[in-house]
Amino acid sequence: MSTGREFDRRIATVNLPVTRASSVLFDTLAQAEAEGAATVAGEWHRSTYATAGTTTTYALMDALAEVEGAPHRCRAALMPSGLAAISVALMAYLEHGDHLLITDSVYGPTRLFAQNTLARFGVTAEFYDPAIGAGIEALIRPETRVVFMESPGSYTFEIQDVPAICEVARRRGVLTMIDNTWASPAFARPFDWGVDLSLLALTKYWGGHADLLMGAAVVREEHWLPLWQAVRQFGQCVGGDDAFMVLRGLRTAEVRMQRQQQTALTVARWLEQRPEVARVLHPGLPSHPQHALFQRDFSGACGLFGFELKAATPAQLAALCDRRRHFGIGYSWGGYESLIMPAKIATLRSAKPWTGGPLVRIHCGLDDPQDLIADLADGLAAMARA
Ligand SMILES: Cc1ncc(COP(=O)(O)O)c(C=O)c1O
């Protein structure tokens, strides 16, 4: 059965071939045993079985460790979704009796994981006001193990003073994690801010075409082993085809994001002028309460932002969103398609409850900004009639 299995190294192509694999083969039993021991010890690029890695997944892990981590010494692990990367990373460093500080503005499923699953394992999650900055020190207890940040926050787009939080956490021996999906390495450098572990939903801009799900946890080398052990023990892995697609998306992610940033700012500025809109939640606008922090720490904004309506009934929200020409109704973001979705955040905030009007989230894809503006103008007109 060895026929047709020779890899022809004479033909050089731009991209790597895709490895689809479960079994990994060795020349000798001694080599198989040595590789097994190396995998358990968390050594890089050592695999006895494709759940530990293949040539394609290691290529993506290397690329992510570099684009997200460099010049810091980091390693990256892949998970089958962004949420899986978040939950496995939290499980890797927390244990029974630990205290977790987590931003109130966190992605909803991350909140649920902390409140439900981590609580079942005896971890106490405390939600903090995203505006806390260095004031986080007052919340740190002897048993606080992790601070989990997301900046800007999901749906409400608050920017946190991440460097100030990291300075306190490092001094107090607490590990810091951030969900960096919104800015991604194109527009934010979490390891320069002092973060220990960064999470990316590759499903969004790095896949970029709404056709795959994947997540990554990128961590400073000194914290690698607990993460890698959790990844291996929970059996977290991704297939070669999807890893190849993310490697492909990674080449153009920043260019797409630059374009989507310009489109989103054009649409956001237009929305700011509309009488139905109370406020636009976009950190790149001077009207955003933490615009100065955004300018200090970020080099750009992606295509995702929110706006608050002065008032809207559920029927009016439906009229705004239904049957748009360019905006689809969908929960995701980060692809080339534009999306609109009202946000229901009443149950997703506890430290800082939302007191504003109805919230709508928009993702600007690669559409023409004037098409998106015309579509929203139609939606607001339909809202007025409803
Ligand atoms: C900020 C943020 N983090 C993580 C995720 C989870 O990514 P995935 O859908 O790949 O699980 C999402 C998904 O919407 C998100 O918005």
Side-chain angles (χ1 to χ4, degrees):
M1 290 299 286
S2 61
T3 185
R5 286 167 48 187
E6 279 301 308
F7 182 68
D8 191 341
R9 294 184 187 280
R10 291 167 305 179
I11 303 165
T13 51
V14 173
N15 296 298
L16 293 177
V18 178
T19 303
R20 297 189 188 88
S22 53
S23 303
V24 171
L25 298 177
F26 306 93
D27 290 336
T28 64
L29 184 58
Q31 191 197 8
E33 286 171 356
E35 290 296 310
T39 308
V40 171
E43 285 181 30
W44 200 233
H45 281 241
R46 308 295 286 269
S47 182
T48 45
Y49 186 49
T51 54
T54 64
T55 48
T56 315
T57 60
Y58 275 121
L60 179 57
M61 288 156 75
D62 284 347
L64 287 168
E66 187 173 335
V67 293
E68 178 76 353
H72 309 273
R73 294 170 64 86
C74 292
R75 289 184 181 179
L78 301 173
M79 257 75 57
S81 71
L83 181 59
I86 292 166
S87 49
V88 169
L90 285 167
M91 288 298 262
Y93 300 93
L94 289 164
E95 59 186 44
H96 190 272
D98 282 350
H99 176 235
L100 163 71
L101 283 168
I102 182 164
T103 179
D104 207 33
S105 56
V106 79
Y107 171 58
T110 308
R111 168 181 286 265
L112 291 182
F113 180 75
Q115 284 174 328
N116 298 345
T117 306
L118 290 179
R120 284 203 293 116
F121 288 90
V123 174
T124 307
E126 180 177 349
F127 293 88
Y128 68 84
D129 180 343
I132 200 163
I136 195 112
E137 183 136 28
L139 301 184
I140 292 179
R141 309 177 190 168
E143 66 274 20
T144 306
R145 205 63 59 215
V146 171
V147 177
F148 191 101
M149 299 166 278
E150 186 179 318
S151 182
S154 273
Y155 285 116
T156 39
F157 297 93
E158 302 92 338
I159 298 287
Q160 298 187 40
D161 192 342
V162 177
I165 293 174
C166 290
E167 189 282 318
V168 171
R170 178 149 299 191
R171 192 159 34 76
R172 301 290 298 270
V174 176
L175 195 82
T176 47
M177 298 187 188
I178 194 165
D179 183 333
N180 190 35
T181 303
W182 185 88
S184 91
F187 296 141
R189 313 295 311 160
F191 293 98
D192 289 351
W193 299 338
V195 166
D196 295 311
L197 187 147
S198 175
L199 295 147
L200 293 167
L202 303 170
T203 308
K204 313 298 179 193
Y205 287 102
W206 299 82
H209 295 74
D211 53 6
L212 62 87
L213 294 156
M214 201 183 295
V218 184
V219 66
R220 291 183 191 272
E221 251 179 33
E222 61 268 32
H223 299 299
W224 166 248
L225 199 54
L227 177 71
W228 185 238
Q229 283 172 343
V231 168
R232 301 286 294 118
Q233 288 166 19
F234 282 112
Q236 297 289 297
C237 54
V238 304
D241 290 292
D242 281 348
F244 179 86
M245 292 296 274
V246 177
L247 270 170
R248 191 181 203 255
L250 185 145
R251 312 288 168 196
T252 57
E254 187 171 343
V255 179
R256 286 184 273 108
M257 289 180 77
Q258 290 285 1
R259 167 68 184 261
Q260 286 170 260
Q261 156 168 250
Q262 293 312 326
T263 303
L265 278 168
T266 304
V267 173
R269 289 191 193 107
W270 178 83
L271 278 167
E272 262 196 325
Q273 307 307 318
R274 292 291 306 201
E276 305 88 339
V277 173
R279 173 158 84 104
V280 177
L281 307 172
H282 188 308
L285 294 177
S287 58
H288 188 277
Q290 293 95 35
H291 182 61
L293 271 185
F294 172 77
Q295 284 190 306
R296 186 192 72 184
D297 291 345
F298 291 76
S299 59
C302 73
L304 187 79
F305 68 96
F307 62 94
E308 179 192 334
L309 289 161
K310 287 180 183 156
T313 62
Q316 285 179 312
L317 282 175
L320 170 66
C321 301
D322 288 351
R323 289 177 292 281
R324 297 276 66 80
R325 282 192 65 215
H326 298 282
F327 284 101
I329 299 173
Y331 284 102
S332 193
W333 50 282
Y336 60 84
E337 78 286 11
S338 298
L339 297 167
I340 188 165
M341 184 58 97
K344 288 203 173 77
I345 65 161
T347 58
L348 297 178
R349 296 292 183 271
S350 49
K352 198 166 173 269
W354 175 253
T355 52
L359 262 183
V360 180
R361 188 176 77 173
I362 276 191
H363 176 252
C364 294
L366 290 170
D367 298 280
D368 186 311
Q370 295 311 321
D371 285 343
L372 297 184
I373 286 174
D375 213 11
L376 285 174
D378 287 349
L380 290 169
M383 194 178 99
R385 289 193 300 272

